[in-house]
Amino acid sequence: MQRRSAPRWPSPLLDAWKCGDGTPKVELRGRLLVVSGHRVPENGAVQAVKREVSAVYEGFDTIRVPVPGATIHARTGGAGPAVLLLHGYPQTHAMWHRMAPYLAEDHFVVIPDLRGYGQSAAHDGDFSFRTMAADFIALMAHLGKEQFHVVAHDRGARAAYRMALDHPDAVLSVALLDILPTYLVWDLMNADLAKRYFHWVFLSQPEPLPQRLIGGDPLAFVRAQLAGMAGTFHSFDPEALQDYENAALRPEVIAAWCGDYAAGATIDVEHDRADLDKISDIPALVLWGDQGVVGRQVDPLDAWRAWFPRVRGGAVNAGHFVVEENLEEVLPAVTDHLRQATGSAGC
């Protein structure tokens, strides 16, 4: 894909939060959130946002579905072939609030929080991607969807490819956004990557060290993670940011982050290596940010081709959070992928 100069998807939601000169009304300055020139202390930052994420998902239903070891919170909407949207770290299902309405025009869209993230609850300590994949198989079966497409980012994308390998009859196609296989990230870990992906090592440390350190100032931590991987804090719509911050204030969500990354440093790598000889012939789309780290050391398409020979895709003009940073490029790529995948699946 050809690199483009900082395009941004037109968003009345985001435009409503801009000043006359086009600068966002919400700005992070040190440890203070500045809204329309007013300094808002961290513990009052969320009060500056008037509109809840539930308002942006107007027309979507909200469900809570018990699955083994967890209760999954999700939103559903639209009609047509089923598409499961999975978010990443340190986010919630709110990351899809701008893409989901477009997809729901001709798809049945399911948008859950990962176990322990957002408003989903984890009842045991299993945060492996194999278990997360099983969560979503159970969720979709509860909704009467035995086969579906998956579009996923970051940690959700890791659950997505695990789902495709473990449940090949259920997953019709995958779109994996800004990731390499988990085992390969660890194989490639060098000094530069360790600095950019420091949370991979930090969050995987034995409890309670990372939980206690993050819990001392969870808002500062989650903001630093978002800004660090995006390159700018202004990529996030206020409604989504509020949801991420609300989640970060809950100790059980912090515990889920740590459990997720602890599994990602151990059992998930073992599962990947055990399946290196597997091949999935489903359509696969891989997109990554050209300002991030995914494409720095290897060609991501080559990295995924061993598992998904039909993979296609490329870089978009973004950092890590490609959906929120550059929906103008990501949305057409995803919709074209789903159109072709739906046709090949006969749905």
Side-chain angles (χ1 to χ4, degrees), residues 22-235:
T23 58
K25 292 181 180 178
V26 180
E27 182 181 356
L28 184 70
R29 295 181 187 170
R31 295 179 60 189
L32 293 176
L33 195 68
V34 179
V35 183
S36 297
H38 299 289
R39 297 167 72 246
V40 181
E42 287 180 348
N43 61 5
V46 295
Q47 299 174 10
V49 180
K50 301 299 185 183
R51 196 177 182 200
E52 299 284 346
V53 167
S54 57
V56 241
Y57 279 118
E58 186 175 356
F60 285 74
D61 294 326
T62 301
I63 59 173
R64 290 185 66 81
V65 177
V67 300
T71 301
I72 303 300
H73 167 272
R75 299 187 191 274
T76 64
V83 177
L84 177 66
L85 302 180
L86 300 178
H87 69 84
Y89 162 87
Q91 298 169 286
T92 69
H93 76 286
M95 69 156 284
W96 301 105
H97 76 272
R98 291 169 63 201
M99 179 184 282
Y102 290 97
L103 296 183
E105 291 177 0
D106 47 17
H107 296 86
F108 176 67
V109 179
V110 182
I111 320 158
D113 288 323
L114 306 184
R115 62 163 48 206
Y117 282 67
Q119 298 178 58
S120 289
H123 308 312
D124 60 27
D126 190 348
F127 290 96
S128 69
F129 294 125
R130 172 158 287 163
T131 296
M132 291 189 193
D135 290 345
F136 300 126
I137 293 292
L139 170 66
M140 298 303 281
H142 173 84
L143 294 168
K145 306 298 180 182
E146 302 297 333
Q147 292 187 309
F148 48 89
H149 305 271
V150 188
V151 178
H153 175 251
D154 189 73
R155 309 307 283 184
R158 301 184 187 285
Y161 81 74
R162 175 48 50 196
M163 200 177 342
L165 296 174
D166 286 358
H167 307 274
D169 293 336
V171 180
L172 297 173
S173 74
V174 290
L176 308 175
L177 307 183
D178 209 65
I179 68 162
L180 294 173
T182 303
Y183 82 91
L184 184 57
V185 175
W186 287 109
D187 285 354
L188 294 172
M189 192 68 73
N190 58 17
D192 179 64
L193 187 57
K195 285 185 276 188
R196 295 291 297 271
Y197 274 10
F198 80 91
H199 59 287
W200 277 61
V201 179
F202 171 62
L203 294 174
S204 68
Q205 296 305 300
E207 60 178 335
L209 178 63
Q211 291 90 333
R212 285 183 177 176
L213 293 177
I214 298 169
D217 197 342
L219 291 183
F221 181 81
V222 75
R223 291 169 185 165
Q225 288 281 266
L226 291 167
M229 288 187 279
T232 171
F233 201 67
H234 302 324
S235 301

Side-chain angles (χ1 to χ4, degrees), residues 16 21 28 33 37 103 223 229 237 266 274 278 320 324:
D21 61 358
L28 184 70
L33 195 68
L103 296 183
R223 291 169 185 165
M229 288 187 279
D237 286 349
T266 53
K278 284 191 175 181
H320 173 60
E324 288 164 294

